Amino acid sequence: MKTGRWAALGGLIGTAALLLAACGGTTSTSSQQAPLQKANEMVAALPPQVGITNFAPVANALTLSVYNGGVNYMMYAPLVMVSSQDNIDQADSLAQSITPNSNDTAFTVKLKNWNFSNGTPITAQDIAFDANLLMQACTMKNSPYSYGDCGFGGIPPVTGRAELTSVTADNANTVTFKLSQPANPVWFELNGLGQILAFPKAQWDKGSYMQDLQFLKSVASTPNASVYKVVSGPYKFSDMVTNQYWKFVPNTKYGGPAATVTVVLQYEASGAAEFAALRTNKINQGYLQPTEFGAAKQLKGYNQGLVSAFSWNGIQINSFKNQYVGNAFNDPAVRAALQYGIDEDAIGKLLFGTLNGKNLWVDQYSAIPTNFPALTKNVFGTSHIPVPYPYNPAQGMKVLENDGYHMVNGVMTKGSTKLEFPVLYSSGSQSATDAALVLKQDYAKEGIIVTLTSVPFDTQIAMNNTQTPSNAPKWAFNWYGGWGYEPNYYPTGGGMWGYYQTVDSYSYAPFYKAVNNEYLPGSAAQAQKNMYAYAMATAKDLPVLWTPNGYGVSEAAPYLHGSNKWWNPVEYFTLWNHLTISH
């Protein structure tokens, strides 16, 4: 099943919500007293009720999130690492060079002379095996293990676009990738080659692809399995306690920039628990919810900054005929009314807050990320597009009335359809609860009645990723938070919206035409034109309901260095191997 990198609702969109000034904010120290120093060990908080649930180098469709993805990159070197400027990061990429053929249907990659953690070379045979295993996980009938990013960057199955058809090792350090048709090289190099992580064929090849995938399933959530002792990335797994912590130590054989800091990712039951851990110096990197900004002065010695990621935020719509509203969500008028009812400023203030007089949110009405204007303009040609459905409950009600709805006992009704349904949102955050209450109140102004149910983030993404028409009646709205473009580093809609077709039966042909044009070869100007058309389609056709994007507030010990520089909002994680601790 196609899916995407989910990120939790609230004041953080990213891997660990921990990093300094990623959106250009300045740092400050709240006190002269430094938090407890742990020699060469960073103890970093995860978002509330978020755990690490998958360690395999082939991301699983049922557990795909930016947090699991960050751990994958800690343990396994990517063929192509994408930089914070949305181009290739040469230092942290296994690929030494990439050469397209004359018509952009084949890409030859030469590898650097890097080794696995057991000292054996990383070869083209390993990379060919790794890439072919991804394809098998996407195409094999009744596959026991589903790769979560099928459809992105030419990794099949996607029809009508360039698809990866074969991967072969030419010699020990050269591998060739062939596509079904010409493609924009930037699109394939970032979105296709950027998905491939280096893991040893000798450890993972069990005789057949079916056996390989069965093995993947058996060890995906078991990081103590022997297969994880041989990695290619900057870190090796050390130990863990479920719902407490996950510890990673430097891999001394890593071919790229060497790691010196041990990383501990710590589970937090709630935002309040995380704040208490910061206040009592049990962690040395964490983040605040807006409800805690006023108490930040209690944190002594931490540097404070802002964080964000190149992403969009929204509410997923389940438009399959279901027990709540039938097929009403397939109606463009209903979708427009639902967007008219979203007060982005009120919700943004609750989810992200205001700090030192600065609003930490930006309104968002399309799949264009609005929190990195310069990066967005570089990719899409602009950082602004028209707003078809600004907050206006009265207009939303008018749209419904013109569509044949009328008020019956406080609920907009059309025939047997009543616009009354549940909304799922992320638990563990008071800010998320408050924002959900605003949504409920504003929808009531339109005669749209919703009930609110909070569930853990990991539960939400599992519900999304197992969605099929047969189980669609189990939910109507899922306000999970946001969707990171990773692995769509060249941020197209391919794959992403193919996935949404499995959970949203609304058919909008002009939208899919815009999506399907994005990979096409052409000049940089044509590519930007295609990207802009895609962004406009997301604004007009509402494949999701848009909510504000914003920034989180981080707190980090002053002896941790490099967080600002090495936070990558495009990849959605920190290159931990570049961080240092002073003594």
Side-chain angles (χ1 to χ4, degrees):
M1 175 181 292
K2 305 178 188 71
T3 185
R5 303 285 184 175
W6 307 104
L9 176 66
L12 158 79
I13 301 295
T15 302
L18 317 169
L19 310 168
L20 300 179
C23 65
T26 58
T27 62
S28 62
T29 302
S30 55
S31 167
Q32 296 303 310
Q33 179 181 340
L36 178 66
Q37 182 164 348
K38 306 189 76 169
N40 288 330
E41 183 172 282
M42 180 180 66
V43 183
L46 287 164
Q49 298 190 16
V50 169
I52 305 302
T53 57
N54 188 281
F55 300 83
V58 177
N60 185 261
L62 300 182
T63 57
L64 202 65
S65 74
V66 294
Y67 317 107
N68 288 332
V71 166
N72 292 154
Y73 281 99
M74 291 174 72
M75 296 172 62
Y76 298 97
L79 188 60
V80 168
M81 178 73 80
V82 180
S83 78
S84 60
Q85 301 305 307
D86 208 20
N87 53 27
I88 295 177
D89 171 2
Q90 298 291 345
D92 289 278
S93 295
L94 175 60
Q96 178 174 303
S97 65
I98 305 170
T99 306
N101 67 355
S102 60
N103 65 351
D104 296 329
T105 59
F107 294 74
T108 299
V109 180
K110 289 188 179 297
L111 306 179
K112 296 175 182 175
N113 295 320
W114 287 9
N115 294 328
F116 290 109
S117 57
N118 64 355
T120 61
I122 302 173
T123 69
Q125 287 75 19
D126 293 304
I127 298 302
F129 170 79
D130 302 342
N132 281 306
L133 188 58
L134 295 190
M135 290 198 291
Q136 289 294 322
C138 292
T139 59
M140 180 183 290
K141 187 176 181 180
N142 299 321
S143 171
Y145 186 93
S146 297
Y147 176 52
D149 289 326
C150 300
F152 294 86
I155 308 296
V158 175
T159 58
R161 303 179 204 157
E163 294 184 14
L164 185 61
T165 57
S166 69
V167 186
T168 56
D170 301 333
N171 53 47
N173 71 340
T174 306
V175 59
T176 296
F177 297 79
K178 293 185 178 180
L179 300 177
S180 61
Q181 56 183 291
N184 185 314
V186 175
W187 172 82
F188 181 68
E189 290 172 12
L190 297 186
N191 295 1
L193 300 182
Q195 293 186 53
I196 299 167
L197 303 180
F199 51 98
K201 182 176 186 289
Q203 302 288 324
W204 292 87
D205 186 357
K206 301 304 176 181
S208 70
Y209 286 125
M210 175 61 77
Q211 290 172 307
D212 299 339
L213 294 170
Q214 289 171 337
F215 179 67
L216 270 167
K217 181 179 180 180
S218 71
V219 300
S221 60
T222 311
N224 290 310
S226 61
V227 71
Y228 293 113
K229 295 184 183 300
V230 183
V231 297
S232 60
Y235 282 92
K236 298 176 69 173
F237 173 78
S238 173
D239 60 275
M240 63 165 282
V241 176
T242 301
N243 288 344
Q244 290 190 32
Y245 71 88
W246 295 262
K247 185 175 182 178
F248 302 85
V249 297
N251 167 22
T252 59
K253 298 293 180 65
Y254 175 57
T260 60
V261 175
T262 292
V263 175
V264 178
L265 302 179
Q266 183 165 297
Y267 179 86
E268 302 295 343
S270 66
E274 181 170 343
F275 184 81
L278 282 166
R279 186 169 49 81
T280 57
N281 301 324
K282 292 181 180 179
I283 58 178
N284 49 26
Q285 203 165 24
Y287 71 99
L288 305 180
Q289 295 189 47
T291 53
E292 296 157 350
F293 289 174
K297 61 184 178 181
Q298 298 177 26
L299 304 178
K300 298 179 179 180
Y302 289 90
N303 287 331
Q304 188 178 85
L306 302 181
V307 296
S308 193
F310 198 55
S311 62
W312 54 254
N313 286 355
I315 301 173
Q316 186 173 347
I317 308 169
N318 171 9
S319 67
F320 284 108
K321 188 174 183 180
N322 62 62
Q323 64 190 29
Y324 304 110
V325 297
N327 61 1
F329 294 155
N330 274 316
D331 185 343
V334 172
R335 293 167 93 100
L338 291 167
Q339 185 66 56
Y340 275 127
I342 296 177
D343 187 344
E344 295 214 10
D345 283 333
I347 288 173
K349 186 174 183 179
L350 291 168
L351 286 181
F352 303 102
T354 299
L355 185 67
N356 299 325
K358 175 182 174 60
N359 292 338
L360 301 186
W361 76 91
V362 282
D363 291 346
Q364 172 196 274
Y365 293 95
S366 75
I368 279 188
T370 50
N371 51 347
F372 288 91
L375 183 56
T376 296
K377 186 173 182 179
N378 182 55
V379 173
F380 290 91
T382 182
S383 57
H384 302 283
I385 64 171
V387 179
Y389 314 107
Y391 174 62
N392 190 335
Q395 181 63 26
M397 177 176 282
K398 184 177 180 180
V399 166
L400 290 174
E401 290 172 340
N402 290 340
D403 195 46
Y405 283 86
H406 60 283
M407 196 77 75
V408 178
N409 297 324
V411 183
M412 274 295 188
T413 304
K414 182 178 181 180
S416 61
T417 300
K418 296 182 177 181
L419 296 183
E420 188 171 9
F421 53 87
V423 173
L424 302 177
Y425 70 96
S426 298
S427 60
S429 165
Q430 185 60 48
S431 299
T433 298
D434 293 343
L437 286 170
V438 167
L439 185 74
K440 175 183 175 73
Q441 293 163 3
D442 285 335
Y443 274 163
K445 297 174 185 177
E446 296 183 310
I448 300 170
I449 306 303
V450 302
T451 55
L452 303 176
T453 302
S454 64
V455 295
F457 172 72
D458 292 342
T459 301
Q460 285 185 284
I461 62 170
M463 293 175 67
N464 279 346
N465 295 340
T466 56
Q467 178 74 46
T468 65
S470 63
N471 68 16
K474 294 182 180 179
W475 58 271
F477 268 28
N478 196 349
W479 194 1
Y480 49 84
W483 187 308
Y485 270 108
E486 190 272 339
N488 271 16
Y489 307 109
Y490 181 69
T492 66
M496 179 184 301
W497 304 112
Y499 160 72
Y500 265 77
Q501 285 183 303
T502 69
V503 294
D504 187 348
S505 61
Y506 180 46
S507 178
Y508 29 102
F511 173 80
Y512 283 106
K513 182 178 186 298
V515 169
N516 288 335
N517 285 344
E518 291 173 301
Y519 79 92
L520 294 176
S523 66
Q526 184 60 49
Q528 279 195 338
K529 182 178 179 180
N530 290 338
M531 292 296 288
Y532 181 77
Y534 155 65
M536 281 299 299
T538 65
K540 180 181 178 182
D541 292 318
L542 298 175
V544 299
L545 300 176
W546 303 108
T547 59
N549 212 332
Y551 310 97
V553 175
S554 71
E555 300 284 346
Y559 51 81
L560 289 173
H561 306 290
S563 295
N564 178 27
K565 182 177 180 180
W566 296 106
W567 163 245
N568 187 326
V570 180
E571 288 272 15
Y572 296 175
F573 65 87
T574 305
L575 277 69
W576 305 109
N577 53 306
H578 290 269
L579 271 60
T580 59
I581 290 179
S582 60
H583 300 281

